[in-house]
Amino acid sequence: MPTTIHVAEASPEAAVLVDGAHLAAVGPYEELAAAHPGARLRRWPGILTPGLLNPYAPELLEQAYHPDPREADRLGTEPLFGERARALLDSSPSARGASARRGVQRMLAHGTVAVAGELRGRGALDAVRRAGLALAGRPATLPGPAAFSPVPLVLLPALAAGKPARFAVFDVPDRAALVREGASACVATVVGGRLVHRRA
């Protein structure tokens, strides 16, 4: 598998070289490009970050119902909670797993590369594992309601060579703008070296 350099316009000093499922190098774009002239190149707008931790995995993947696009006329496109969600999740044997998979796709579209919170259902656990999302510890207290762009945003630790190739790119000029605008500014998410979300 060829190596790939990912670089974002507003953070050229934080480019990454992806080799398979891991980061082979992290550093200024010019240095990586000079050292690896045969690498494939992906250029993105905005900033490249370690990606986000979403601490609301149980709320978003087991307690919410994510409508199928074919249900949009009847149910809308936003997640449903409460009694209505419970009824839909219990409507068929496959409903929970299908909803969780759609929920994970929405997380990836918001730059989430790790989740926290105890998942009990097989459907949600399988969806998280298949997507390659990391599982992390959950804080004792959570500040706000469950959301794909939680407040405050929780960025993972800095990227480094040898670590899993797990990161997200947001179309903002800097991290302060990311905090202001939220995770919906995500343009690309990479998990396990794979581009799992790209804004159309």
Side-chain angles (χ1 to χ4, degrees):
M1 183 179 204
T3 56
T4 302
I5 295 174
H6 292 259
V7 60
E9 291 172 2
S11 61
E13 74 289 348
V16 297
L17 177 71
V18 175
D19 187 359
H22 290 83
L23 297 174
V26 177
Y29 165 67
E30 293 81 4
E31 292 180 12
L32 296 188
H36 305 277
R40 191 169 142 197
L41 177 62
R42 285 196 182 270
R43 291 184 181 274
W44 304 104
I47 61 172
L48 191 149
T49 75
L52 301 176
L53 164 70
N54 192 307
Y56 297 103
E59 291 83 358
L60 293 173
L61 301 180
E62 294 185 325
Q63 297 168 25
Y65 180 79
H66 300 275
D68 186 288
R70 294 168 293 186
E71 300 173 311
D73 288 346
R74 184 168 56 93
L75 300 175
T77 58
E78 293 302 308
L80 302 171
F81 294 88
E83 299 263 337
R84 193 169 191 201
R86 283 192 288 277
L88 289 163
L89 290 168
D90 291 336
S91 64
S92 75
S94 62
R96 287 184 181 276
S99 173
R101 287 191 295 276
R102 292 189 293 271
V104 164
Q105 287 304 311
R106 290 187 76 141
M107 286 183 161
L108 295 171
H110 285 79
T112 297
V113 298
V115 296
E118 184 181 357
L119 294 170
R120 296 183 175 149
R122 182 173 176 181
L125 283 166
D126 285 349
V128 165
R129 287 181 183 135
R130 281 191 193 127
L133 292 173
L135 294 170
R138 184 171 181 167
T141 58
L142 296 173
F148 290 106
S149 183
V151 178
L153 292 177
V154 181
L155 282 170
L156 292 181
L159 299 170
K163 287 189 175 182
R166 187 184 292 135
F167 55 90
V169 183
F170 297 90
D171 191 6
V172 293
D174 52 39
R175 288 194 179 191
L178 174 58
V179 170
R180 286 194 309 273
E181 296 184 29
S184 61
C186 181
V187 293
T189 306
V190 171
V191 175
R194 296 177 299 119
L195 185 62
V196 292
H197 165 72
R198 179 177 187 169
R199 185 187 288 172

